[in-house]
Amino acid sequence: MAQVPVQTIPRDPQLFYWILFPITVVMILSGILRHYVTVLLATPPKKQDQKTMREQRSLVHGVNVRTNFHVLSKSSFNSRREALTTAYESGAYLKDPDRRGQPPPNPMSDPSSMDGMMGMMKNQMAMIIPNTLIMSWINAFFSGYVIMKLPFPLTIKFKSMLQAGVATKDMDPRWMSSISWYFLCIFGLQAVFNFLLGSDNAANQMAQQMGQMNPQQQPFGPGVDPDKQFLAEVENLAVIEHYSVLDDVEKRLLEGITS
Amino acid sequence: MPTEKEFQIAPIVQESVMHNSKALYNLQSVTASLFGVSAGILGLESYNGFLFYVVFTMLTSVLFYALHVAPTSIASGKGALDTSRYFRGPYELWTGGLFNGLAGFILTWTLFYGLVRA
């Protein structure tokens, strides 16, 4: 393998003070600022009236009985199942009993679900705007030269991405412009934010937050018909074959002692 | 695989599992950034740098195991390398942390490599 001569470019040491540190400091501070802005702007969850709460909580009750039936004795499980089933089928828990059979309210026109969507959009805005601003700032001020060398080699294809402003043919892809330092910082500073702000900070990657928010939204989100959910829950409760963890507990206890 | 009934008798609490993995994740992030600093100062190049990272992350995992997990785990009768009391699956403790800290490692490694090498 022919030895490629190591490309060294002598650089002004002032480069570090004027470029590297400012970008790093700006990104750390903007992350901290974003976290605190998110915390301050977060609207408290809206208090809902008693009927809506009852509707939601009764469904959760049904789900809990279904998943944890094994800690109940047979009689208490059966009594719970019958009470819930009659209530679900007669619509005793519904918010608007007159609207049974009608399609669920349009999410755009239903005011109670708008707040949830606004919260998600605000978080997204809080993430996108600072990143866009910083990227345009870097492109305006810091383009046209390379600042640092990556410790490990990359393929040629990365050159177009990482050496944005400098169009040369022969330069090693290890040399990067400042925009690639920006990308490195986005990924790498999450560890620093974890350390500074605790693990629930809002400066984490958006994907993490979106993934956690979406599954929670489904049961009570806009456009879901509670009546159908109740009837589905009735069926789920009906198919359960009940057994309890207390059934053979004496045998297990004796086995544990004698071993 | 424990049966569903055994899960019901000794349930796995979601919050505890999350707490365990969060503790491990925080530790891995901090140590990965510090290892990047040392790799940059030492001036390690491509393969050497990654090898350094892998070796020292495994060392961190071993120390974490020996000091935190082992005392209570061995006392409750498990084998010498069994992590099932605290973590689901052995890979989570030994090798999962590699990818967690990789970004922080590369960031600080590049930074200090550029600063020190001049």
Side-chain angles (χ1 to χ4, degrees), chain A residues 16 39 50 61 70 76 78 129 147 155 208-209 211 242 247 251 257:
Chain A
F16 298 128
V39 165
Q50 192 225 3
H61 185 199
H70 44 86
S76 71
N78 280 338
I129 289 183
I147 44 173
T155 58
Q208 220 172 328
Q209 286 177 335
H242 176 261
D247 282 341
K251 291 204 198 107
I257 292 180

Side-chain angles (χ1 to χ4, degrees), chain A residues 11 16 20-21 70 148-153 174-176 181 184-185 187-189 191 194-195 199-200 243-245 252, chain B residues 4-5 7-9 22 25-26 29-30 33 44-47 50 103-104 106-111 113-115 117-118:
Chain A
R11 286 158 298 143
F16 298 128
L20 264 189
F21 286 153
H70 44 86
M148 16 199 307
K149 191 171 172 204
L150 268 183
F152 50 90
R174 292 171 68 167
W175 292 96
M176 313 182 304
W181 175 244
L184 264 187
C185 275
F187 293 118
L189 282 180
N194 241 339
F195 177 61
S199 13
D200 290 332
Y243 60 88
S244 169
V245 292
R252 285 203 300 271
Chain B
E4 184 171 324
K5 193 144 188 212
F7 266 138
Q8 291 169 351
I9 296 177
K22 235 186 237 183
Y25 175 73
N26 287 342
S29 311
V30 173
S33 306
L44 295 177
E45 298 278 316
S46 50
Y47 280 126
F50 284 119
I106 291 184
L107 176 74
T108 42
W109 184 22
T110 310
L111 178 64
Y113 184 79
L115 285 179
R117 218 187 42 93

Side-chain angles (χ1 to χ4, degrees), chain B residues 40 75 85 93 101 112 114:
Chain B
R85 185 179 157 104
L93 175 62
F112 279 85

Side-chain angles (χ1 to χ4, degrees), chain B residues 44-64:
Chain B
L44 295 177
E45 298 278 316
S46 50
Y47 280 126
N48 288 342
F50 284 119
L51 193 63
F52 177 87
Y53 171 63
V54 169
V55 164
F56 276 91
T57 305
M58 299 294 270
L59 179 68
T60 308
S61 306
V62 166
L63 279 176
F64 183 80

Side-chain angles (χ1 to χ4, degrees), chain A residues 56-95:
Chain A
Q56 294 177 356
R57 298 296 166 96
S58 60
L59 192 63
V60 173
H61 185 199
V63 171
N64 281 340
V65 168
R66 171 160 53 96
T67 39
N68 295 326
F69 66 89
H70 44 86
V71 298
L72 299 169
S73 69
K74 199 161 182 62
S75 58
S76 71
F77 172 72
N78 280 338
S79 61
R80 276 183 175 82
R81 178 162 62 178
E82 283 168 22
L84 280 175
T85 310
T86 46
Y88 284 162
E89 285 180 348
S90 70
Y93 288 139
L94 283 177
K95 186 166 47 174

Side-chain angles (χ1 to χ4, degrees), chain B:
Chain B
M1 251 337 258
T3 65
E4 184 171 324
K5 193 144 188 212
E6 287 177 18
F7 266 138
Q8 291 169 351
I9 296 177
I12 292 184
V13 182
Q14 188 66 19
E15 289 179 0
S16 304
V17 168
M18 276 174 48
H19 176 260
N20 286 348
S21 11
K22 235 186 237 183
L24 192 62
Y25 175 73
N26 287 342
L27 179 71
Q28 296 280 12
S29 311
V30 173
T31 52
S33 306
L34 294 177
F35 290 145
V37 172
S38 39
I41 295 180
L42 285 174
L44 295 177
E45 298 278 316
S46 50
Y47 280 126
N48 288 342
F50 284 119
L51 193 63
F52 177 87
Y53 171 63
V54 169
V55 164
F56 276 91
T57 305
M58 299 294 270
L59 179 68
T60 308
S61 306
V62 166
L63 279 176
F64 183 80
Y65 175 75
L67 292 175
H68 277 253
V69 177
T72 46
S73 181
I74 293 186
S76 70
K78 301 220 180 265
L81 284 177
D82 194 4
T83 60
S84 58
R85 185 179 157 104
Y86 288 108
F87 292 99
R88 277 188 290 200
Y91 291 117
E92 200 178 324
L93 175 62
W94 303 112
T95 56
L98 285 176
F99 296 105
N100 284 340
L102 198 64
F105 172 72
I106 291 184
L107 176 74
T108 42
W109 184 22
T110 310
L111 178 64
F112 279 85
Y113 184 79
L115 285 179
V116 165
R117 218 187 42 93

Side-chain angles (χ1 to χ4, degrees), chain A:
Chain A
M1 190 171 77
Q3 274 288 18
V4 180
V6 177
Q7 296 180 349
T8 53
I9 303 178
R11 286 158 298 143
D12 192 355
Q14 295 258 331
L15 197 146
F16 298 128
Y17 304 133
W18 285 100
I19 302 180
L20 264 189
F21 286 153
I23 297 184
T24 316
V25 164
V26 162
M27 292 195 67
I28 293 184
L29 288 179
S30 74
I32 297 180
L33 185 71
R34 195 167 47 208
H35 165 68
Y36 283 118
V37 164
T38 316
V39 165
L40 289 173
L41 278 184
T43 56
K46 204 173 69 114
K47 278 184 83 65
Q48 292 166 327
D49 63 329
Q50 192 225 3
K51 286 196 181 304
T52 318
M53 295 263 285
R54 189 176 67 170
E55 186 182 57
Q56 294 177 356
R57 298 296 166 96
S58 60
L59 192 63
V60 173
H61 185 199
V63 171
N64 281 340
V65 168
R66 171 160 53 96
T67 39
N68 295 326
F69 66 89
H70 44 86
V71 298
L72 299 169
S73 69
K74 199 161 182 62
S75 58
S76 71
F77 172 72
N78 280 338
S79 61
R80 276 183 175 82
R81 178 162 62 178
E82 283 168 22
L84 280 175
T85 310
T86 46
Y88 284 162
E89 285 180 348
S90 70
Y93 288 139
L94 283 177
K95 186 166 47 174
D96 284 327
D98 321 316
R99 292 184 58 151
R100 287 187 90 166
Q102 290 178 3
N106 193 343
M108 285 298 152
S109 63
D110 189 15
S112 64
S113 59
M114 282 296 279
D115 292 337
M117 286 169 46
M118 280 305 286
M120 277 171 56
M121 275 173 43
K122 267 198 282 193
N123 281 343
Q124 281 183 335
M125 284 295 124
M127 189 77 187
I128 290 177
I129 289 183
N131 277 347
T132 319
L133 280 178
I134 294 181
M135 208 184 306
S136 49
W137 172 65
I138 292 185
N139 269 331
F141 283 113
F142 295 128
S143 63
Y145 40 80
V146 291
I147 44 173
M148 16 199 307
K149 191 171 172 204
L150 268 183
F152 50 90
L154 294 170
T155 58
I156 307 285
K157 282 188 305 192
F158 280 100
K159 253 198 342 181
S160 62
M161 187 170 75
L162 295 178
Q163 288 175 359
V166 187
T168 59
K169 201 162 54 77
D170 281 332
M171 189 156 59
D172 230 336
R174 292 171 68 167
W175 292 96
M176 313 182 304
S177 63
S178 38
I179 197 75
S180 50
W181 175 244
Y182 167 74
F183 281 125
L184 264 187
C185 275
I186 288 188
F187 293 118
L189 282 180
Q190 291 173 35
V192 175
F193 290 141
N194 241 339
F195 177 61
L196 287 177
L197 299 170
S199 13
D200 290 332
N201 65 79
N204 267 340
Q205 274 282 15
M206 209 48 210
Q208 220 172 328
Q209 286 177 335
M210 292 299 288
Q212 284 172 358
M213 269 206 298
N214 277 335
Q216 284 175 4
Q217 192 84 358
Q218 290 321 319
F220 308 121
V224 182
D225 188 12
D227 194 30
K228 291 205 181 54
Q229 283 178 320
F230 284 153
L231 293 177
E233 206 53 46
V234 164
E235 285 181 28
N236 287 339
L237 281 175
V239 300
I240 290 178
E241 281 185 24
H242 176 261
Y243 60 88
S244 169
V245 292
L246 297 174
D247 282 341
D248 286 329
V249 67
E250 315 93 43
K251 291 204 198 107
R252 285 203 300 271
L253 181 63
L254 290 175
E255 280 172 18
I257 292 180
T258 56
S259 69

